[in-house]
Amino acid sequence: MLIQINLEAMGYTLKIGDTAPSFKLKATDGKFYSIQDFDLHKYLVVFFTCNHCPYVLGSDETTRQTAMKFAGKGVQFVAINSNSANTYKEDDFDHMVKRMEQYNFPWKYLHDSSQEVALHYGALRTPHFYVFDEKRILVYTGRAVDNPRNAVVSAVNDLDRVLDELTGGREITVRLTNPVGCTIKWEGKDSHWMPAEAKDLV
């Protein structure tokens, strides 16, 4: 499959081959986590998410299935909520805690209250996935499934494919897709605002 890469967009979003940016963020369990806290896991999936977006709500259970499927193969999932609670009250930290208590997702759920981590990664939407190899080099970024709003009818699961290839020691066949979802809710901006540099990846 021939993929046309949008080089201008890749100036905003983390590039394939880049090292995972560091962070230290508070999780819903009350502890602070840095990226080094996940060093015991061979592979890392960092994804930007939230509490309210229908594309998140429609695909979280599919993401759970993928996380559980590959947990035994050294893959750890880490979720980050960077949305401004002043834009969507449902995305505040208290609602994050309640959501994790209700659904008990198999990942740490971190709060990027300053939105700096979203900027360092160049997160475009919720959900937006980043897959890192054993050296914490980015090998894939984009969507998980082609229809996250109703993931049970999705025809394509790119995240499953990438993790199957990565954990199987095979070449990643498609490294870039466009994330499908809601925009990041930036502090002081309209709910649909995106940075001018934030464009589709392919």
Side-chain angles (χ1 to χ4, degrees), residues 48-109:
F48 290 82
T49 186
C50 65
N51 302 323
H52 84 278
C53 174
Y55 295 90
V56 170
L57 302 182
S59 61
D60 263 346
E61 289 306 318
T62 299
T63 305
R64 181 202 297 273
Q65 291 172 13
T66 299
M68 295 178 68
K69 176 180 178 181
F70 290 97
K73 297 183 179 181
V75 180
Q76 175 67 42
F77 278 59
V78 178
I80 299 176
N81 175 21
S82 300
N83 278 3
S84 167
N86 291 321
T87 305
Y88 272 90
K89 176 64 177 174
E90 304 97 311
D91 285 333
D92 67 14
F93 186 75
D94 288 344
H95 282 84
M96 290 172 59
V97 173
K98 291 176 182 177
R99 184 160 169 72
M100 283 297 283
E101 289 175 346
Q102 180 178 0
Y103 293 102
N104 193 29
F105 291 120
W107 49 72
K108 298 298 181 185
Y109 193 10

Side-chain angles (χ1 to χ4, degrees), residues 126-143:
T126 57
H128 185 169
F129 292 82
Y130 297 77
V131 178
F132 297 95
D133 67 11
E134 64 273 17
K135 296 180 180 179
R136 296 302 182 258
I137 301 300
L138 185 69
V139 297
Y140 173 82
T141 185
R143 70 189 185 185

